[in-house]
Amino acid sequence: MKDIRGLLLASGLTTVGAEIIVRDTTPRYCANGASDVCFRFGIPKSSADSGSGNIYFQIQAPSTYSWVALGTGDQMSGSNMFVMYQDGSGNLTLSPRLGTGHTMPKEDTSSTAAKLGLLAGSGVVNGIMTANVVCPNCESWDGGSGSLSLTDTASNWIAAWKSGSSLATTSKSASISQHDDHDQFQLDLTKATVSSDSNPFLEEDNANPGTGNGGGSGGGSSGGGGGNDDPEVVAGPGNPFAPIAGGRRRDAALIAHSVIMTATFAALYPLGSMLMPLTGSWIAHAIWQSVAFIMMWVGFGLGIRVAQDRNMLFNNTHTKLGAAVVVLLLIQPVLGILHHNYFLKHRERGAISYAHIWWGRILLTLAVINGGLGLKLANAGNSAVVAYAIIAAVCFGIYAIVKSWAVVRRGRQSGPHFRKGDNFTHQQRYSVGRQPYRPRNRV
Ligand code: HEM
Ligand SMILES: *[C@@H]1O[C@H](CO)[C@@H](O)[C@H](O)[C@H]1NC(C)=O
């Protein structure tokens, strides 16, 4: 869903979702996926010319958010983050933090920490939190290893937010819980230039009370001055924002994990169990399921990697249930062999056979449900969810049809023809497909 919106936006077809609004001289970007979480930027000409100095930005969001953050770069790691939350007395706390990966960013207390200043016009008014911020040293951080060029025509930014109650603290090191979602966008800083080195948001807020909704205008970073339907608003310096389609960095390992696990559990395993009634060949069945078994472990390894990387190993149902299913499936091949031996000896199913069949069915069902939990955990888009549901439904549908058919056929062949003493082969016992030999007195 988000991906689709991002694409539509990138092609300038709609203004639903992220809004690109230009007011006066400071461009405004509203995050994709959040409601009214918006940012404005103003780079004084003097700072742009000298490459350092004050920069101004605004973070605005409804007070239904517990915290909202803006950060440099395209991922958490290495980002110079500016986290905003309520101070408990009608104003806001700005917390400069350093991103270190997929964990809570801690307050930057180093000498290069962003010296964030709260300016006039800030506060919590009518359920809207507005922080007008000046940063005199945001062109470098973390001892100089991170940097922001004030004239970058494609500077990368990230944003994240968490809805919930007010943190009500003036502490810059307050602990915050993980975001509901995040976004990524690019900004042409040369289009955010303001002439004087002073709070550029004050005038706009006074001139345009309730800055909430302006006319959206299409176009990406290249689109110069798209439409603006509010005649009172002076057209800004074009549309310097380019929301990154999809807005999130997709981990290759995560995609591989999802694809392999879907293929294994929704397709390979159920198809492999059908091979038994379809071909009657236990060898084909065993080889096929062994391949699926190996794929499962590859997918499992990838999943562990992703979860470790994201600090979500065994702290959620998807990873716990997934690990349980994979481990419990370890005995499935053993049950298969035991069933096979039993069958060779007795020429009919025994308790062990039903253990093999039902152990597999139960775990496969759990695995397919767990796939849904995984999609939820990864905040997967609607298209991925729909694709997954279709694949699972089709494969299990075919499986159910084939199995019922097998039962019906076996039912017809049962009776006196399949007694313990009969020397039938696997094929004759199970096959409903090609049968080299059928009992002569078959109905
Ligand atoms: C308690 C604080 C935080 C925790 C535990 C946390 C954890 C995570 C986790 C587990 C992911 C990967 C899963 C996903 O994509 O949703 C992630 C991604 C992301 N987070 Fe955070 N985060 C925190 C704070 C922040 C803050 C303050 C920002 C600031 C802007 C931020 C920005 C992002 C972005 C842009 C991504 C996607 C890019 C990437 O993978 O780095 N996060 N975070
Ligand atoms: C919030 O703090 C800023 C900076 O001290 C100040 O200018 C502003 O008026 C305060 N807002 C409210 C609502 O008190």
Side-chain angles (χ1 to χ4, degrees), residues 10 14 28 116 133 146 159 210 215 229 238 251 262 267 272 274 277 280 287 329 342 366 385 395-396 401 429 440 442:
T14 177
R28 181 169 186 248
L116 304 175
V133 188
D229 14 75
D251 196 325
T262 304
M274 284 189 284
I287 291 175
L329 273 175
Y342 180 93
L366 286 176
V385 175
C395 294
F396 274 75
I401 292 168
R429 180 66 180 82
R440 236 172 291 123
R442 188 175 163 267

Side-chain angles (χ1 to χ4, degrees), residues 332-342 356:
Q332 184 68 1
V334 179
L335 292 174
I337 291 164
L338 291 177
H339 154 74
H340 182 65
N341 289 342
Y342 180 93
H356 175 61

Side-chain angles (χ1 to χ4, degrees), residues 87 89-92 117-125 130 132 199:
D87 70 355
S89 44
N91 221 325
L92 298 150
L118 198 61
L119 301 172
S122 303
V124 190
V125 179
T130 304
N132 291 335
N199 184 355

Side-chain angles (χ1 to χ4, degrees), residues 201-245:
F201 309 115
L202 203 52
E203 272 171 49
E204 290 175 18
D205 289 342
N206 292 341
N208 304 298
T211 46
N213 288 301
S217 46
S221 57
S222 57
N228 194 324
D229 14 75
D230 187 342
E232 281 172 39
V233 177
V234 183
N239 293 305
F241 288 105
I244 306 298

